[in-house]
Amino acid sequence: FGEKRAKEITDDFFAWKEVVFSDEERKILKEKLDITAVENSWEEELKTIGRIFKETKKLVCPHTANAILGLEKYRKNSWDTEKKALISATASPWKFLASIATWLSFEEEENLEELYNKYKKLENSKEWTEKLLN
């Protein structure tokens, strides 16, 4: 990628900023490192939390939802559909109350970002947290 772009990618990654790779960068990742880059939006992440819960009755954290969605996208856009994959949940979903509350209360016609921001403001409130958990 070149030193400047590699630093930019690393800085953005560690600053929790979105990293988007160009088609040329994806080609380099695949050919030189055998890595496939897949980007997920936070909206897709939240919807995946809800979909996984509806399908399996298991609640996953946003990180696990990203891994599941990334694998699904990879398999959809690749010939590599048979390889086994292990996704290990790394955190409790209850650590991310705003995300969980958003997908629990989301209706298709609602603005997902507005709903998430509303819950994010309440997330650190002890009273709201106790109410949600009960």
Side-chain angles (χ1 to χ4, degrees):
F1 298 139
E3 191 173 323
K4 183 179 177 186
R5 177 65 176 139
K7 180 172 178 3
E8 179 183 292
I9 291 168
T10 305
D11 289 348
D12 286 351
F13 176 80
F14 285 109
W16 294 92
K17 292 181 183 174
E18 183 177 5
V19 177
V20 178
F21 295 99
S22 69
D23 289 340
E24 182 62 30
E25 289 169 337
R26 288 174 191 278
K27 184 177 177 186
I28 291 167
L29 288 168
K30 184 66 181 157
E31 290 176 0
K32 304 243 184 215
L33 301 174
D34 196 27
I35 294 174
T36 301
V38 178
E39 291 92 16
N40 301 322
S41 70
W42 67 270
E43 292 97 339
E44 290 174 307
E45 172 188 289
L46 291 179
K47 289 178 180 179
T48 300
I49 291 171
R51 180 177 54 81
I52 294 300
F53 183 77
K54 288 175 188 168
E55 291 172 2
T56 69
K57 300 300 180 226
K58 294 188 186 323
L59 192 55
V60 298
C61 73
H63 304 116
T64 306
N66 265 314
I68 292 167
L69 184 59
L71 178 62
E72 291 170 346
K73 284 181 176 181
Y74 170 76
R75 286 190 170 151
K76 181 181 177 187
N77 297 312
S78 160
W79 57 268
D80 186 8
T81 59
E82 300 299 319
K83 193 180 287 180
K84 301 269 189 242
L86 172 66
I87 296 174
S88 177
T90 59
S92 168
W94 297 109
K95 187 176 171 186
F96 305 92
L97 292 176
S99 296
I100 300 305
T102 300
W103 80 259
L104 279 171
S105 59
F106 175 69
E107 299 292 333
E108 287 299 321
E109 66 275 358
E110 288 184 277
N111 182 319
L112 196 59
E113 186 172 7
E114 275 181 31
L115 192 59
Y116 176 78
N117 288 335
K118 174 182 137 184
Y119 289 130
K120 191 66 181 166
K121 287 177 188 172
L122 296 171
E123 189 172 48
N124 294 324
S125 159
K126 183 179 179 184
E127 179 182 311
W128 185 75
T129 303
E130 287 174 355
K131 183 178 178 182
L132 178 66
L133 293 175
N134 290 325

